[in-house]
Amino acid sequence: MRISLQFKVGTAGLLIYRILLALLFMSLSRLMLYFFQKNLFNFPDFPGIAKLFLAGLRFDISAVLILNLPYLVWSLFPWPVRNNSGWKKVGNFLYYSFNIFAIFLNMVDSAYYPFNLKRLTADIFTFVEANNNIFILIPRFFYDFYINLLIFILLVTTFVWLAQRVKQGKPHFYGSLLSFVLWNLIFLSITLSVAVIGIRGGFQRRPISVINACDQVEPQYASIVLNTPFTIIKTWNKEGLPERNYFKTEQEAAAIYNPLKNYYRPDAPQRKDNIVIIILESFSAEHSAFLNPGLYPPHSKGFTPFLDSLMKQGLTLRAYANGKRSIEGIPAIVAGIPHLFPVEFINSPYSSNKILALPQLLKKRGYSSVFYHGGINGTMHFDAFARKAGFDEYKGMKEYSGPPAFDGQWGIFDEPYLRYVANDIDHLKEPFFITVFTLSSHHPYTVPDSLKARLPSGPLKIQQSIAYADLSLRRFFDAIKNKPWYPHTLFILTADHTSAGYHPFYKTLAGQYSIPLVFFKPADTLPQLHKATAQQMDILPSICDYLNLKDTIVSFGNSVFDTLSPAYSISYLNSTYNFFKSDRVLLFDGEKTIGWYDLKKDSLQLNIHKNRDIIVESDELLLKSIIQQFNHRMQSNHLTP
């Protein structure tokens, strides 16, 4: 007597079975990275592995549904032709080819992971195209990783065998062609609706992305939670960094500018001051009377009188933002990552790269850390980035506890949210590192009705909301100035980016990036206005220098306390690198200098210079060194020493 191991089910049963089977093998092949590279992870126990398996299901479901969408649509085509044997063969081809390729990609990463310590992303195809010898190396890869190849063959064989155990039974007959089409259109619509939810990763505001893996587990385990098809799909058509080889070797480039830095001074004490970074939404330098003595009338307070009062007591710099959006500014401030390519780091093919951000550096010194953001949780993936950067906690609008204060658009008004932060800090263990990101000066620039008549307004609509944010900042400092932790806390205040300009200079390239940068320590006397060029990326190395940390860091910024380092700022806009240094602005297209401005003689940047002098050539050489090393380190996942 022969027992059949095949089962016949209806169309719906077959599709559900095959999708679940594809999901199982997606997860199994994903975990092969851990089993082949377990020496790279400190996560040996079975409950830990189970947690990684479950945490990755959300990303596995998304990838499986994306890959199998053609098969689902083909199998549910609302016309009787789908019951033909030829039609079914095409459907089987779609199912097996896409899912076997997914298993293959995961298995490739189980071998390739040690080379770049992240899952493959879409830039792998650029890499393959740029390496003419890749096909020569393939036999060697098979030889070196034959065990991975054997596991791949075993997984595929098992997958195909299990898939063939269940087949479609006789097609269901409907009363008429019309009823067949209508019922199947309904079934197809329901299936696609469920698939869209699964592909998005749930009902949250934004579809899940690579960086959301850090919401599930510690950042060092993100690669085990993610699957390779997902990371490739999510980075597809997102431009990576081009190869830049201005210098023959990295040593030659590093001789001009070395991003490896160590500020430790054995003869100086190490500080353990609290660190508070306050990122003020859209606070252009233009709004400050202190930074623009000739722009405002003699007795005008401008729109940031309280911030100006702090500027007079601390080290204040006219700095440049490293990007034009919040999603570009946060990584520059917290992790020293500039925006130097078309897509922002958080959504780039490199978002899974290992980084060394301030919370990670300070955690080794016993610091607790919180990222405070009054906005709706999930906005621009700030919560996921905070997790990746190593913050102990992210507290957004969901965590806010205080009187109702929703602004109707973005989140909690600045004044009540900063009051909540002031009270919440008291529960933190010292020393602490916190970042506070305000939001009321974001479009549409809403301020509480009770304050509209009291706040100054200007030619720009944003300026009344800037004044409100500044008032909120004053009340925040009033609330904390008598707290025991206040005297030994270093405050750093800056903007995430600029707002639209009104005065002529602030409509120029230099003006469009000009922001304040203030280092304020209540118990210390820091130097006054510092005229050297500074940027958001300088914050991380400045903190390392100020605290006298022993760590070696990779940084493309410099400490503002180190007057011997080159002072510059770099940004990227419309495929052009903008390089600000001293009183010059250099424009570089990636291959050559396309012009520069002399801000001393031409503050409104009306006359772009084409001639190259010795100073411009020196600036270009420094810029090329930075670009080459940044690109190579980002491509090879070496943003850490």
Side-chain angles (χ1 to χ4, degrees):
M1 179 178 175
R2 185 178 179 182
I3 300 176
S4 174
L5 293 177
Q6 286 192 343
F7 303 89
K8 292 187 177 181
V9 296
T11 301
L14 179 65
L15 293 180
I16 292 172
Y17 173 79
R18 285 193 163 185
I19 293 300
L20 290 177
L21 186 65
L23 178 60
L24 173 63
F25 279 82
M26 175 70 80
S27 299
L28 289 175
S29 59
R30 163 172 61 88
L31 286 180
M32 289 300 111
L33 186 149
Y34 171 75
F35 289 108
F36 279 101
Q37 309 297 342
K38 64 175 64 177
N39 61 308
L40 299 176
F41 303 95
N42 184 25
F43 215 108
D45 56 17
F46 178 79
I49 298 172
K51 179 183 177 182
L52 294 175
F53 178 87
L54 295 174
L57 284 178
R58 191 181 182 198
F59 304 92
D60 293 345
I61 290 170
S62 179
V64 164
L65 289 173
I66 292 172
L67 292 170
N68 286 279
L69 204 56
Y71 167 67
L72 290 173
V73 173
W74 189 266
S75 300
L76 294 175
F77 188 69
W79 201 258
V81 69
R82 77 173 193 212
N83 293 319
N84 293 347
S85 60
W87 191 274
K88 292 180 179 179
K89 287 179 180 177
V90 173
N92 286 333
F93 173 78
L94 293 173
Y95 177 75
Y96 288 114
S97 59
F98 278 99
N99 289 294
I100 290 173
F101 187 59
I103 296 171
F104 171 76
L105 290 174
N106 279 331
M107 290 307 302
V108 167
D109 255 342
S110 73
Y112 190 73
Y113 182 80
F115 296 99
N116 60 359
L117 298 177
K118 68 169 186 172
R119 290 276 180 180
L120 294 176
T121 49
D123 62 331
I124 185 61
F125 299 105
T126 305
F127 173 80
V128 171
E129 183 181 357
N131 287 270
N132 297 326
N133 64 338
I134 192 70
F135 294 104
I136 300 174
L137 296 174
I138 287 177
R140 180 67 193 185
F141 291 155
F142 285 157
Y143 176 80
D144 289 340
F145 305 109
Y146 70 92
I147 296 179
N148 304 68
L149 179 60
L150 291 175
I151 296 295
F152 166 69
I153 294 172
L154 177 63
L155 286 173
V156 169
T157 302
T158 307
F159 170 74
V160 173
W161 186 84
L162 289 174
Q164 292 181 344
R165 295 313 93 199
V166 177
K167 293 187 178 292
Q168 185 176 351
K170 291 184 179 180
H172 179 71
F173 290 94
Y174 294 81
S176 66
L177 176 63
L178 179 61
S179 63
F180 179 95
V181 172
L182 289 176
W183 277 110
N184 282 279
L185 275 175
I186 293 172
F187 190 26
L188 177 61
S189 299
I190 294 172
T191 302
L192 292 179
S193 299
V194 173
V196 167
I197 296 170
I199 289 170
R200 294 186 81 259
F203 293 95
Q204 71 285 341
R205 296 182 71 210
R206 285 174 172 265
I208 54 173
S209 184
V210 172
I211 200 168
N212 289 109
C214 297
D215 294 337
Q216 311 294 320
V217 294
E218 295 294 325
Q220 59 264 39
Y221 305 123
S223 293
I224 305 176
V225 169
L226 293 165
N227 63 77
T228 308
F230 181 86
T231 57
I232 290 177
I233 290 167
K234 286 295 181 176
T235 55
W236 193 262
N237 278 340
K238 292 186 176 179
E239 293 187 51
L241 290 164
E243 283 289 334
R244 298 296 188 194
N245 296 297
Y246 307 118
F247 306 91
K248 293 181 180 179
T249 65
E250 291 301 290
Q251 291 76 15
E252 187 180 341
I256 297 171
Y257 181 85
N258 191 349
L260 282 173
K261 297 180 173 66
N262 189 305
Y263 292 99
Y264 180 62
R265 302 173 301 281
D267 56 335
Q270 287 191 286
R271 301 173 184 258
K272 294 201 78 171
D273 295 329
N274 303 309
I275 305 292
V276 175
I277 297 179
I278 301 177
I279 305 171
L280 301 163
E281 172 69 52
S282 303
F283 262 56
S284 302
E286 179 177 17
H287 306 306
S288 163
F290 179 75
L291 292 178
N292 300 278
L295 203 61
Y296 291 90
H299 301 292
S300 171
K301 295 182 180 180
F303 299 95
T304 61
F306 180 72
L307 180 61
D308 287 4
S309 70
L310 294 182
M311 291 184 190
K312 297 172 185 176
Q313 301 175 57
L315 170 60
T316 300
L317 303 101
R318 287 185 61 99
Y320 293 100
N322 289 116
K324 288 295 292 175
R325 298 186 297 160
S326 304
I327 201 171
E328 298 160 2
I330 301 299
I333 293 168
V334 173
I337 301 173
H339 174 63
L340 293 184
F341 46 107
V343 64
E344 58 280 348
F345 171 76
I346 291 177
N347 290 317
S348 76
Y350 311 106
S351 62
S352 60
N353 280 18
K354 184 180 179 182
I355 62 175
L356 188 59
L358 281 165
Q360 297 162 320
L361 281 165
L362 297 177
K363 188 171 292 187
K364 292 184 287 186
R365 296 286 309 282
Y367 280 72
S368 58
S369 58
V370 183
F371 189 105
Y372 290 99
H373 173 221
I376 298 171
N377 296 56
T379 301
M380 295 194 191
H381 298 308
F382 289 150
D383 49 353
F385 179 76
R387 179 74 171 170
K388 180 178 179 67
F391 281 95
D392 294 330
E393 294 181 273
Y394 165 90
K395 295 190 176 184
M397 189 175 84
K398 187 190 298 183
E399 289 74 26
Y400 166 75
S401 58
F406 182 54
D407 66 4
Q409 300 288 336
W410 292 100
I412 306 300
F413 279 114
D414 282 354
E415 196 273 331
Y417 190 77
L418 289 176
R419 191 187 322 127
Y420 153 74
V421 172
N423 294 328
D424 197 67
I425 293 175
D426 290 337
H427 301 102
L428 298 181
K429 173 190 171 186
E430 291 191 69
F432 55 74
F433 165 66
I434 69 169
T435 297
V436 186
F437 184 24
T438 68
L439 60 74
S440 288
S441 41
H442 192 292
H443 183 273
Y445 316 124
T446 307
V447 300
D449 292 336
S450 60
L451 291 173
K452 284 184 178 179
R454 295 172 48 193
L455 294 169
S457 58
L460 297 173
K461 187 177 179 181
I462 190 177
Q463 287 172 322
Q464 188 172 55
S465 66
I466 292 286
Y468 168 67
D470 185 75
L471 175 64
S472 303
L473 191 65
R474 178 190 297 276
R475 291 177 175 175
F476 171 73
F477 273 83
D478 285 343
I480 65 175
K481 65 184 179 182
N482 294 320
K483 293 182 182 288
W485 51 264
Y486 179 75
H488 49 275
T489 299
L490 175 66
F491 293 89
I492 302 168
L493 300 97
T494 191
D496 58 339
H497 55 75
T498 60
S499 56
Y502 175 74
H503 295 93
F505 171 76
Y506 289 101
K507 295 180 181 180
T508 67
L509 185 63
Q512 287 173 357
Y513 281 91
S514 294
I515 59 172
L517 176 57
V518 185
F519 291 78
F520 168 68
K521 176 74 182 298
D524 276 4
T525 302
L526 295 176
Q528 293 297 304
L529 186 65
H530 194 317
K531 294 185 178 180
T533 306
Q535 58 186 329
Q536 291 167 327
M537 279 197 300
D538 293 341
I539 292 174
L540 187 150
S542 298
I543 290 174
C544 291
D545 189 1
Y546 179 82
L547 296 178
N548 197 23
L549 299 184
K550 291 183 178 181
D551 303 76
T552 296
I553 59 173
V554 173
S555 174
F556 292 91
N558 301 288
S559 169
V560 298
F561 305 108
D562 179 9
T563 57
L564 299 179
S565 297
Y568 70 89
S569 176
I570 185 173
S571 55
Y572 184 88
L573 186 66
N574 297 326
S575 301
T576 300
Y577 296 94
N578 307 312
F579 189 68
F580 305 95
K581 190 170 186 291
S582 186
D583 294 305
R584 299 180 299 281
V585 181
L586 186 74
L587 306 177
F588 185 71
D589 68 1
E591 299 294 337
K592 61 184 182 302
T593 295
I594 56 177
W596 63 281
Y597 297 102
D598 184 341
L599 297 183
K600 278 186 176 179
K601 299 178 181 178
D602 182 21
S603 64
L604 298 184
Q605 294 138 74
L606 300 174
N607 303 301
I608 188 168
H609 295 270
K610 297 291 185 181
N611 61 305
R612 292 163 54 85
D613 58 22
I614 296 176
I615 295 178
V616 171
E617 290 180 358
S618 174
D619 288 350
E620 183 183 299
L621 206 61
L622 175 58
L623 176 58
K624 285 180 175 179
S625 171
I626 294 166
I627 294 172
Q628 176 171 320
Q629 293 180 89
F630 174 80
N631 285 19
H632 287 183
R633 284 184 175 274
M634 187 68 80
Q635 290 165 334
S636 62
N637 195 8
H638 283 99
L639 293 177
T640 56

